[in-house]
Amino acid sequence: MAGSAVTNTGPSVITGDLGVSPGTAISGFPPGLVNGAQHSADAVAAQAQTDLVTAFNDAARQATDGALPADAGGLTLVPGVYTASSTLGLTGTLTLDAQGDPNAVWVFQVGSGLTTASSSQVLLTNGASPCNVFWQVGSSATLGTDSTFVGNILALTSISATTGATIDGRALARNGAVTLDTNTITRPQCAGGTTGATTSGTTGTTTAGTTGTTTSGTTGATTSGTTGTTTAGTTGTTTSGTTGATTSGTTGATTSGTTGTTTSGTTGATTSGTTGTTTSGTTGGTTGTTTGGSTGGNHGCKPGEYGDYADQAGTDHGYDCDPA
């Protein structure tokens, strides 16, 4: 998400939606690939920017649990809110240790710029989730060549990912541009959910038969919003079994789902052989849970905090508790 423009060079791959508002410019796709929807100054992008402002301000006002040195490389941090009064660098490895708590949250408050060195990395251990890592940056963020970054960047100005940098999370710039160069950005799938009409997952058709040929695909964009109800899981009617003369396998069409009415049975004679096709698809939704840090106080996801800016319908740039 950018305020002015999103530009790309090289075969970048974004898994999730892309948007810009109030600017309109999106360039470099192709050669870049967006596995999701693109929103240029439309209502969805405008709402995403509104949510970004809310999230940015919320993260900025969290009470700090500790001060960061000028370079966070080599540190191991338990959940909490950490503050760098001016710039913050990252050389080498920063380890985030959840101590076995999958809901552990880290909030990094950076007064001005965030810069990561080439080949640096953010490493998650003991159940830490990229959904629950937030970087509130007072100006701009620059990710070094071939660096591995984790979490949701909420930058006041701009975000630049140099060649080969990867992000397991979101890149969200309020006023400036997001600039990419042969990068991979993956919006993480987060367990649980809060409030918001969210449909997320993989929709595809798999056909398999006696020749062993399998065709599978992923289609559709992930959409999210701040109002409505959350639907998680797979809903459908499941019919399973053999009807008629069934040959050592599945004859007829089998449609599977996890919620709905299930009818199972066997009718007719069973002989040897294999015929039929199987088609299955899964459409499911997930939104993550954002809870507060566990060091120095409770920064949990409760009314009035992260849960109040859930994903907006038609975009995944919201900042709910999964937490674009």
Side-chain angles (χ1 to χ4, degrees), residues 62-155:
Q62 297 296 314
T64 186
D65 294 319
L68 291 170
D71 194 301
L75 298 179
T76 296
L77 300 177
V78 297
V81 179
Y82 297 93
T83 303
S85 59
S86 57
T87 60
L88 178 66
L90 173 57
T91 304
T93 300
L94 168 64
T95 302
L96 305 182
D97 183 358
Q99 299 182 319
D101 180 6
N103 297 317
V105 173
W106 291 260
V107 176
F108 294 94
Q109 301 166 332
V110 182
S112 55
L114 169 67
T115 303
T116 70
S118 298
S119 301
S120 62
Q121 64 173 330
V122 177
L123 178 65
L124 304 183
T125 62
N126 294 323
S129 170
C131 300
N132 299 334
V133 181
F134 299 88
W135 302 82
Q136 181 261 328
V137 181
S139 60
S140 298
T142 301
L143 306 183
T145 303
D146 296 325
S147 60
T148 302
F149 197 79
V150 172
N152 305 280
I153 305 173
L154 318 176

Side-chain angles (χ1 to χ4, degrees), residues 233-240 254-263 279-284:
T234 306
T235 304
T237 301
T238 303
T239 304
S240 174
T254 301
T255 306
S256 63
T258 59
T259 306
T261 304
T262 304
T263 305
T279 304
S280 64
T282 305
T283 302

Side-chain angles (χ1 to χ4, degrees), residues 8 31 39 45 55 102 109 154 158 161 202 213 255 266 282:
N8 172 68
H39 299 278
Q109 301 166 332
L154 318 176
S158 62
T202 303
T213 302
T255 306
T266 304
T282 305

Side-chain angles (χ1 to χ4, degrees), residues 179-237:
T179 304
L180 307 177
D181 181 0
T182 314
N183 308 120
T184 299
I185 302 177
T186 304
R187 192 195 75 159
Q189 298 296 315
C190 306
T194 53
T195 304
T198 303
T199 303
S200 172
T202 303
T203 304
T205 302
T206 302
T207 305
T210 56
T211 61
T213 302
T214 302
T215 304
S216 63
T218 302
T219 61
T222 300
T223 61
S224 55
T226 57
T227 59
T229 55
T230 300
T231 303
T234 306
T235 304
T237 301

Side-chain angles (χ1 to χ4, degrees), residues 284-304:
T286 56
T287 54
T289 303
T290 303
T291 60
S294 62
T295 302
N298 179 12
H299 308 284
C301 178
K302 53 184 178 289

